[in-house]
Amino acid sequence: MARLRITWVKSDIGYEKDQRRTLKALGFRRLQQTVEHEDSPAIRGMVAKVKHLVRMEVIEDGAA
């Protein structure tokens, strides 16, 4: 299964509280941090909510 590499690239200052909570739920603690998650509809939805604050890359598994 594919994984998502998500990097927090823009500050959440001035944005709605639910967007800040979404960043925290994704596992971010500080700006420019990168986290990896399994690709799922729930994670994709969270990333879509904060797409203006993060950068996302899809990492394909080599065991195909």
Side-chain angles (χ1 to χ4, degrees):
M1 177 178 270
R3 293 185 59 81
L4 301 176
R5 180 177 292 149
I6 310 161
T7 304
W8 184 10
V9 295
K10 185 177 178 190
S11 175
D12 62 350
I13 295 173
Y15 290 96
E16 296 292 325
K17 194 176 228 179
D18 62 333
Q19 293 178 13
R20 287 188 233 154
R21 285 192 221 135
T22 301
L23 288 170
K24 195 162 283 277
L26 284 167
F28 291 113
R29 294 173 185 237
R30 66 189 66 83
L31 200 56
Q32 300 302 324
Q33 183 180 0
T34 300
V35 296
E36 288 189 14
H37 290 284
E38 289 294 327
D39 192 3
S40 71
I43 296 296
R44 291 273 183 155
M46 293 167 78
V47 170
K49 186 172 185 88
V50 293
K51 67 181 178 243
H52 52 288
L53 303 176
V54 300
R55 182 177 59 234
M56 182 184 75
E57 305 170 46
V58 178
I59 304 168
E60 296 296 330
D61 286 343

